[in-house]
Amino acid sequence: MRKALIAAAVAGSIGLSCGVQAQTAPEGYQLQQVLIMSRHNLRAPLANNGSVLEQSTPSKWPEWDVPGGQLTTKGGVLEVYMGHYLREWLAEQGMVTAGECPTAGSVYAYANSLQRTVATAQFFITGAFPGCDVPVHHQEQMGTMDPTFNPVITDNSPAFKEKALQAMDKERQGMHLGESYKLLEQMTDYAQSPSCKEKQVCSLSDAKDTYSADYQKEPGVSGPLKVGNSLVDAFTLQYYEGFPQDQVAWGSIKTDQQWRVLSQLKNGYQDSLFTSAEVARNVAKPLVKYIDTALVTDQAKAPKITLLVGHDSNIASLLKALDFKPYQLHDQYERTPIGGKIIFQRWHDKSGNRDLMKIEYVYQSTEQLRNAQVLNLKEPAQRVTLALNGCPVDGEGFCPIETFNTVLNTAAK
């Protein structure tokens, strides 16, 4: 059944290749290099029927068809669609030739060595280059974090630890999550949960968060924010997976406003852990160095198309480490959506004889994810142009490559 669903997705996406509309670039602009930093696609909850979820409600959680944290069958289908869509866009820009496999060495795929990241990369390649021999590179030992994608603290000094803890706590203090916790307590019947009855922890809004910034470990938090993130993450994934509405949060989410209120917890969890400048610059450095090598240092020898597949923590910390301006993703509740991609694009302006950088967030909307919508240039993914504080963009979203290179070099040091 799983293979049949994936095969149908590939066939369906290929079948819609004809008659697509071009996405226009400015006159005389030629796309020369692309680096795609992707979050993995749809997975089962990390705490699948685990302690955090079970402790937080007396209600029974729905069953998933894969173990917690693994890419689901639908996640593979969604990634095939995204791969196909981006292949069409790349073909329109002359980066690949429609109906042909890419030339040897022109595409490089590299994923963190977990099932959900490697599988996401494989499904993307299947959608983008079906039948082509494009391997996905990863560490040999699966189930362990690759240092490039592992967002751990690498400064062992007491001074850094204190600064990091203060920065994370400061991020948290700026958030107003009382309404979110109250809504979550109602939806989970928290007063009747094992956490309340057995541990006497009966309120999320009254409990305190405790942060950690330990050497060679990810930034962490214990307390209501971690609980709230786990619960909202589970609800969000249920919705994307296509569970019946009466099974998504037991049928208690009925409005967009409720989703927005709940998602403040998930976004707040990520922001407090990974988007303070102190923490982000430290944990994102290996990834920043890899991207700097591909786009700047060894750019002339780098593949035309590079795909990197990691996690939301990678994207959140990367965006902060490079000092991107605040952005808003339309038709999405998550700030770093499942399957979403930061796409770095090197363009050459022939008339001005200059190279430029454009960076976009390309992602699937909540409804595209839930409905498993086939993507192509007529029914595209969502695209939002991003801007770096250190590299102001023009009206088309481009900034000078020399300025971008300076930003990236500085962040990689």
Side-chain angles (χ1 to χ4, degrees), residues 217-239:
K217 292 185 179 179
E218 285 193 31
V221 63
S222 60
L225 193 58
K226 181 175 182 178
V227 174
N229 173 69
S230 295
L231 292 166
V232 176
D233 181 61
F235 297 159
T236 304
L237 296 170
Q238 289 169 359
Y239 186 78

Side-chain angles (χ1 to χ4, degrees), residues 53-165:
L53 300 187
E54 289 181 339
Q55 288 291 312
S56 301
T57 179
S59 303
K60 181 175 172 57
W61 291 92
E63 295 291 331
W64 288 71
D65 64 357
V66 296
Q70 289 200 4
L71 195 77
T72 68
T73 302
K74 184 175 179 181
V77 170
L78 292 167
E79 198 61 30
V80 167
Y81 291 161
M82 180 63 91
H84 173 75
Y85 162 70
L86 286 175
R87 163 61 182 262
E88 288 192 342
W89 172 69
L90 290 167
E92 286 293 335
Q93 307 308 327
M95 289 280 283
V96 295
T97 303
E100 295 183 9
C101 289
T103 57
S106 64
V107 178
Y108 187 82
Y110 173 32
N112 189 28
S113 43
L114 301 183
Q115 184 271 353
R116 61 182 175 276
T117 43
V118 172
T120 294
Q122 291 170 334
F123 284 120
F124 179 91
I125 295 298
T126 297
F129 309 110
C132 300
D133 184 17
V134 180
V136 173
H137 298 84
H138 58 85
Q139 280 190 152
E140 186 176 352
Q141 187 176 356
M142 289 288 287
T144 59
M145 294 290 286
D146 184 315
T148 299
F149 298 99
N150 198 6
V152 296
I153 302 288
T154 58
D155 189 328
N156 199 21
S157 69
F160 177 82
K161 181 174 183 178
E162 182 60 29
K163 196 161 37 169
L165 291 172

